[in-house]
Amino acid sequence: MWDKIFYSFPIQLFFLHLKKSLLLLALWALLVLIIFQKFGTVLGIPFLFLDPEYLNKVSFQSFFLVGVALAIFTMSFHMTSYILHGPKFKFLAVIPRPFLQFCLNNSLIPLVFYILFVYAFFEFQLDNEHDNKWIVIQYFLGFSIGSVITFALIFIYFGFTNKNFFILFADNVEKRLRRTKISRANMLKRIKESKEAKDKVLDYLDISFRFKMVRQDLAKFEGHQLLRVFDQNHMNMVIIQSALIVLILFLGLFRENPVLQIPAASSGILLLAIASMLVGALTYWLRSWTVPVVIIALLVFNSLSSTDWFNRPHEAFGLNYDTGKASYNLERLNLLLHEDTIELDKKISLQVLDNWREKFPEDQKPKMVFITTSGGGQRAALWTLKVLQEVEYATESRLFKHTHMITGASGGLIGAAFFRELYLQAQTKPEVDVRSDEYLDQISSDNLNPIIFTLLVNDLLIRNQYFEYNGRKYLKDRGHAFESQLNINTKGVLDKPIKDYKMPEMESKIPMLPVTPLITNDGRKLYISPFSISYFNVSLERLEGFNEKSQGVDFQRFFAEQDPGNLRFISALRMGASFPFITPNMQLPSKPQMETMDAGLSDNFGMQDALKFIHVFEDWINENTSGVLLLTIRDSEKFSEIEQKRPPSILQKFFTPLKNIYINWDNIQTLHNEVMFTRMKEKLKFPLERIEFEYSTLQYLRERGLADEEGAVSPSDQELQRASLNWRLTAREKKSIIDNINSLQNRQSLNKLKSFHFLE
């Protein structure tokens, strides 16, 4: 009995995978870690699988498409396994429907994953507290039906096309076999090896779900005859694999159609399916030459990737890339920071300040407000918009009138820019209510599916499709997909060049909002604004010959010949919100080529720029205002519990230094900002006050009993319940963010604003 179990075909295949298919098993292990929220939780990757969206909603259809994709991945696992290991088991050639039988016996690993996925799915969905539990059943049916239909179609195809030994030899296949000499020679060598192999199988699971004994009289069949069975099976698999790749290329031609933008999880699973197929194909054809050939191919591709054809830039839409490139060197940077230039830019900003002052009575000095908002993807965008809606209501529409500048990074700045545009429209359109919940729905609508889908069908291959913006052609990429979806979500209100904001900012109808991405070439900031603000880039107190390095580059002056005013405003926002691998870094028309990254890398909270502006115009502010209010909007806790660390393992010791840098980056910037703020507050002649709002999950956890008796919450539990850093939020995450305005700390901040004296 033990031999029958141990030497059964399913068990032997499982052990064979452990010995020789670790890469394939690693793909399954990755999926297991994802669905149990042990991988990518901070980025929200598990929620893409457990709560997928399609056409901006979680539905039967979204789970159906995930089921289809997972079934395709499962079949790619079976096909790759059959190509790699099928010839080792000669008995497959003489049983009915050999490939289908192989799949059934090779299903131990996929079956375990499906059981785990269903468990994780129900646990997650039931925790979402749906009003109607039938919704969860609908989702499960969608996933199940999608998987079953896909399996059925593929199995029907193989059922009609794959023949066993006895049926196959009734047909004349010699001509077809002669046309596949490489495959034939390769398979003959494998069959020869299989005679010497130690793989032993006593029985296998038949498609009737009964175990049958393996035939032991295969020696009388010649190797080249058995070859024909495996060869025709392999050919059918090549057809299936080719059809999948052609389908993906076809979808790429129509990727802007929302109906074809499958859930991000489905795109990711299809990418894994293609990867598993490549593993099988390369190993089958190259065998012992796989590693050296792959290394050579990577070296060749790496060399070709630096050519213009493969290395075409991710462009900032609206800029002129056809004219001469802007000179990017120290001499020109210093030239752009001439004292006369800085004074000229100061005069323009002083005019903006004077226009801001004219909005208030001459006999009363107003408070000047600066809003700083932190980055954090869609989480920060939604939180920032919600806070601005609430503070505008709490102050009876006074706060934004007093606001002169908004600074920040990434998603937070996108949320603030959206509110600013709505505020501008409300001045001429009474029907626009900046506090409407519909805008919260818009800014929090899914923006990830088109990005990941474009990555799958376009950016991983060769980008070759163009679109036109203001008379110029640009290559489509996932950055274009991000902007297009953001436009759709926000009804196109932000789709304008930055020059359209010049007069509203000059007349102080809306606050200034500089976008400040990081320049990866040298670590400086790029200051993007409708007019020049070069005074941000160097200190005013510098003496002649003082060895001071400039801290930034003024976008308008640096790219004066590249039509900077025509830069698409959403492109500017995306430049300051470049999430690694999701929205690509932008390359700008300069020589050497300037490349930008997320603004959060240099100042995730916008504090540096706000305090810099206050310092530059300190005299004007002291003379014309009664002080400054700094309204800060954080999407993270300012004070968090300190984790009790356990003795690290060897692997943890290896990764801990990098992990500590990543985790503490937020704390490092917070502490640095605290030092700058307190020093500025002590130095200024006028009051500098601060009111803070933060998205904190501490109260959320305490309400659910996840805190101990003293109210302390472990960092792991706190991170588990926190909305993910992503461009897609679940319904539970959206509720967590929106409800956070009712936390004790945020309510206290709102009460302070209600009693705040904006005019003195």
Side-chain angles (χ1 to χ4, degrees):
M1 180 61 68
W2 168 250
D3 283 350
K4 289 192 65 177
I5 295 175
F6 184 80
Y7 291 107
S8 64
F9 197 26
I11 299 299
Q12 287 301 303
L13 279 175
F14 174 73
F15 285 127
L16 188 60
H17 285 308
L18 289 178
K19 290 189 292 184
K20 297 188 176 182
S21 302
L22 289 179
L23 193 56
L24 290 178
L25 293 184
L27 299 179
W28 287 108
L30 175 63
L31 290 176
V32 171
L33 292 175
I34 288 174
I35 63 173
F36 281 100
Q37 303 181 40
K38 301 299 183 182
F39 178 86
T41 305
V42 175
L43 302 178
I45 295 176
F47 308 140
L48 304 179
F49 291 77
L50 301 173
D51 203 41
E53 280 193 15
Y54 176 63
L55 298 177
N56 285 326
K57 64 179 181 179
V58 181
S59 61
F60 175 94
Q61 292 87 347
S62 65
F63 276 98
F64 177 88
L65 291 172
V66 171
V68 170
L70 193 55
I72 291 175
F73 172 72
T74 303
M75 290 307 302
S76 73
F77 169 72
H78 287 318
M79 288 186 284
T80 300
S81 300
Y82 186 80
I83 291 172
L84 296 177
H85 306 309
K88 293 182 175 68
F89 305 98
K90 294 187 294 179
F91 73 90
L92 288 172
V94 296
I95 62 176
R97 300 183 178 86
F99 177 67
L100 301 187
Q101 302 270 27
F102 178 87
C103 291
L104 180 61
N105 287 269
N106 193 48
S107 294
L108 183 59
I109 294 171
L111 178 62
V112 170
F113 174 79
Y114 271 81
I115 293 173
L116 294 176
F117 178 84
V118 171
Y119 172 80
F121 160 79
F122 276 109
E123 184 180 48
F124 180 86
Q125 289 296 332
L126 293 176
D127 191 47
N128 269 347
E129 301 175 357
H130 292 288
D131 295 333
N132 186 354
K133 294 301 186 288
W134 170 241
I135 295 177
V136 179
I137 301 300
Q138 284 182 315
Y139 294 166
F140 176 70
L141 289 176
F143 171 78
S144 302
I145 293 173
S147 297
V148 169
I149 289 177
T150 305
F151 282 129
L153 291 175
I154 295 177
F155 282 138
I156 288 173
Y157 169 78
F158 280 111
F160 279 106
T161 57
N162 284 32
K163 302 176 177 64
N164 62 24
F165 179 88
F166 301 102
I167 297 176
L168 183 61
F169 277 93
D171 300 327
N172 182 12
V173 295
E174 284 292 345
K175 293 182 180 180
R176 180 168 58 81
L177 290 174
R178 292 193 188 102
R179 292 197 298 268
T180 57
K181 293 181 179 179
I182 297 178
S183 175
R184 178 184 177 86
N186 202 343
M187 191 65 74
L188 280 171
K189 189 173 183 179
R190 291 197 166 220
I191 291 175
K192 181 180 179 181
E193 292 173 350
S194 68
K195 294 179 180 179
E196 303 171 358
K198 298 180 180 180
D199 299 295
K200 178 181 177 182
V201 175
L202 296 180
D203 54 8
Y204 67 94
L205 185 63
D206 185 67
I207 55 176
S208 61
F209 291 96
R210 292 180 299 177
F211 277 94
K212 290 187 176 181
M213 298 300 295
V214 170
R215 293 184 60 162
Q216 303 298 327
D217 58 345
L218 299 180
K220 63 183 180 182
F221 300 112
E222 294 187 14
H224 73 275
Q225 293 176 322
L226 298 175
L227 157 69
R228 301 181 189 180
V229 178
F230 293 109
D231 183 72
Q232 57 100 28
N233 289 339
H234 172 242
M235 190 60 64
N236 288 327
M237 292 173 201
V238 171
I239 293 173
I240 289 288
Q241 294 171 352
S242 301
L244 175 60
I245 296 174
V246 170
L247 174 63
I248 291 174
L249 293 175
F250 174 78
L251 292 176
L253 297 176
F254 306 97
R255 63 179 178 274
E256 294 182 23
N257 187 332
V259 176
L260 296 180
Q261 293 174 359
I262 59 179
S266 299
S267 298
I269 293 172
L270 289 178
L271 184 60
L272 293 181
I274 294 175
S276 67
M277 291 178 184
L278 287 176
V279 169
L282 291 174
T283 305
Y284 175 80
W285 292 105
L286 302 176
R287 303 196 61 237
S288 60
W289 287 93
T290 300
V291 174
V293 170
V294 169
I295 292 175
I296 293 173
L298 289 175
L299 292 174
V300 172
F301 178 77
N302 182 64
S303 177
L304 293 175
S305 65
S306 61
T307 63
D308 293 339
W309 178 253
F310 285 95
N311 197 35
R312 290 182 285 184
H314 295 280
E315 298 170 331
F317 307 139
L319 280 184
N320 188 349
Y321 283 78
D322 298 324
T323 188
K325 309 298 183 184
S327 297
Y328 185 22
N329 51 53
L330 291 177
E331 181 181 358
R332 184 158 186 263
L333 291 180
N334 291 328
L335 183 64
L336 293 175
L337 291 176
H338 191 276
E339 291 181 7
D340 294 341
T341 300
I342 295 176
E343 285 301 317
L344 178 60
D345 291 349
K346 281 184 62 180
K347 288 180 180 179
I348 295 174
S349 292
L350 283 170
Q351 181 60 53
V352 178
L353 286 168
D354 290 338
N355 293 336
W356 176 87
R357 180 64 180 87
E358 290 177 1
K359 295 190 294 184
F360 310 102
E362 293 183 7
D363 59 341
Q364 290 181 292
K365 286 189 174 183
K367 286 284 186 181
M368 176 172 279
V369 178
F370 287 81
I371 297 175
T372 68
T373 179
S374 70
Q378 198 168 46
R379 175 183 71 198
L382 176 59
W383 175 237
T384 298
L385 179 60
K386 178 62 178 177
V387 171
L388 292 178
Q389 287 182 329
E390 292 297 323
V391 298
E392 190 70 355
Y393 174 75
T395 60
E396 299 177 346
S397 302
R398 287 178 293 171
L399 185 127
F400 222 65
K401 180 181 179 181
H402 284 255
T403 302
H404 179 71
M405 178 175 284
I406 303 172
T407 59
S410 193
L413 205 63
I414 292 177
F418 185 43
F419 183 86
R420 187 182 73 149
E421 173 61 33
L422 297 174
Y423 180 82
L424 177 63
Q425 292 190 9
Q427 297 177 32
T428 56
K429 300 177 181 178
E431 67 273 15
V432 176
D433 179 10
V434 296
R435 292 198 64 246
S436 174
D437 288 343
E438 69 174 297
Y439 302 124
L440 297 176
D441 293 334
Q442 290 177 16
I443 200 67
S444 62
S445 294
D446 174 61
N447 206 13
L448 189 64
N449 280 355
I451 297 175
I452 303 300
F453 185 68
T454 302
L455 175 66
L456 173 68
V457 302
N458 184 73
D459 287 13
L460 288 179
L461 303 171
I462 298 176
R463 292 178 288 133
N464 56 5
Q465 288 184 295
Y466 291 83
F467 82 105
E468 188 172 303
Y469 177 76
N470 282 359
R472 297 191 179 103
K473 292 176 64 177
Y474 302 91
L475 276 169
K476 292 182 178 180
D477 57 11
R478 58 192 184 279
H480 171 261
F482 173 86
E483 294 185 21
S484 298
Q485 190 61 44
L486 183 59
N487 261 334
I488 293 172
N489 294 346
T490 58
K491 311 301 181 185
V493 298
L494 295 173
D495 192 13
K496 56 177 68 175
I498 61 172
K499 64 184 178 183
D500 284 8
Y501 284 112
K502 185 172 184 178
M503 289 310 298
E505 287 190 19
M506 285 289 297
E507 297 172 358
S508 197
K509 292 182 177 179
I510 55 175
M512 295 173 63
L513 191 148
V515 184
T516 58
L518 177 73
I519 302 173
T520 62
N521 305 63
D522 52 25
R524 291 178 171 91
K525 285 185 178 182
L526 181 64
Y527 284 88
I528 303 175
S529 175
F531 43 85
S532 296
I533 49 176
S534 59
Y535 47 80
F536 273 105
N537 302 329
V538 72
S539 70
L540 300 180
E541 293 81 7
R542 62 176 178 167
L543 302 174
E544 186 176 351
F546 182 62
N547 189 23
E548 179 185 351
K549 182 176 181 177
S550 59
Q551 295 99 52
V553 177
D554 182 77
F555 175 78
Q556 290 290 338
R557 292 193 180 280
F558 188 85
F559 291 106
E561 303 298 324
Q562 285 74 34
D563 196 10
N566 203 40
L567 174 69
R568 194 184 196 184
F569 182 58
I570 294 185
S571 290
L573 292 174
R574 175 166 66 91
M575 213 180 301
S578 298
F579 198 85
F581 307 111
I582 303 300
T583 48
N585 298 343
M586 284 195 193
Q587 291 81 37
L588 304 181
S590 66
K591 187 177 181 181
Q593 190 175 67
M594 181 185 291
E595 185 168 326
T596 62
M597 283 189 69
D598 195 293
L601 290 174
S602 58
D603 182 15
N604 192 48
F605 302 96
M607 184 71 72
Q608 294 177 16
D609 294 327
L611 295 179
K612 175 74 172 181
F613 188 92
I614 293 171
H615 171 67
V616 172
F617 297 99
E618 178 181 349
D619 293 338
W620 188 98
I621 295 173
N622 183 51
E623 181 180 349
N624 294 275
T625 75
S626 59
V628 170
L629 169 64
L630 201 61
L631 184 77
T632 65
I633 305 173
R634 299 175 55 100
D635 93 317
S636 60
E637 290 86 357
K638 186 175 180 179
F639 303 98
S640 56
E641 295 295 335
I642 300 174
E643 182 180 1
Q644 178 66 41
K645 293 187 177 181
R646 298 178 179 177
S649 64
I650 294 178
L651 288 178
Q652 287 174 332
K653 288 180 180 179
F654 181 78
F655 290 107
T656 293
L658 294 175
K659 181 181 177 182
N660 287 341
I661 293 174
Y662 171 76
I663 292 177
N664 286 315
W665 190 246
D666 183 276
N667 292 329
I668 292 170
Q669 291 199 27
T670 296
L671 293 172
H672 180 62
N673 291 339
E674 289 294 286
V675 172
M676 288 194 302
F677 176 81
T678 52
R679 288 182 179 177
M680 181 72 74
K681 183 178 177 65
E682 295 169 354
K683 171 182 176 294
L684 293 175
K685 300 175 183 178
F686 50 83
L688 176 61
E689 301 171 78
R690 178 171 60 178
I691 296 178
E692 296 177 302
F693 291 86
E694 66 178 43
Y695 168 55
S696 171
T697 53
L698 292 175
Q699 184 64 29
Y700 181 87
L701 291 164
R702 290 190 178 105
E703 292 173 357
R704 284 156 178 76
L706 295 176
D708 61 22
E709 295 180 358
E710 298 179 356
V713 181
S714 70
S716 59
D717 284 338
Q718 187 171 334
E719 194 61 48
L720 182 64
Q721 298 294 333
R722 183 171 176 74
S724 54
L725 178 61
N726 208 327
W727 286 112
R728 188 261 171 173
L729 299 169
T730 66
R732 183 174 61 179
E733 289 176 322
K734 294 176 186 178
K735 186 177 185 302
S736 168
I737 294 170
I738 293 173
D739 289 350
N740 222 267
I741 196 66
N742 297 315
S743 72
L744 178 61
Q745 176 184 335
N746 292 326
R747 277 295 161 194
Q748 289 175 344
S749 297
L750 284 173
N751 290 333
K752 288 181 183 178
L753 281 173
K754 289 179 181 179
S755 59
F756 191 80
H757 297 289
F758 286 93
L759 288 173
E760 294 182 1

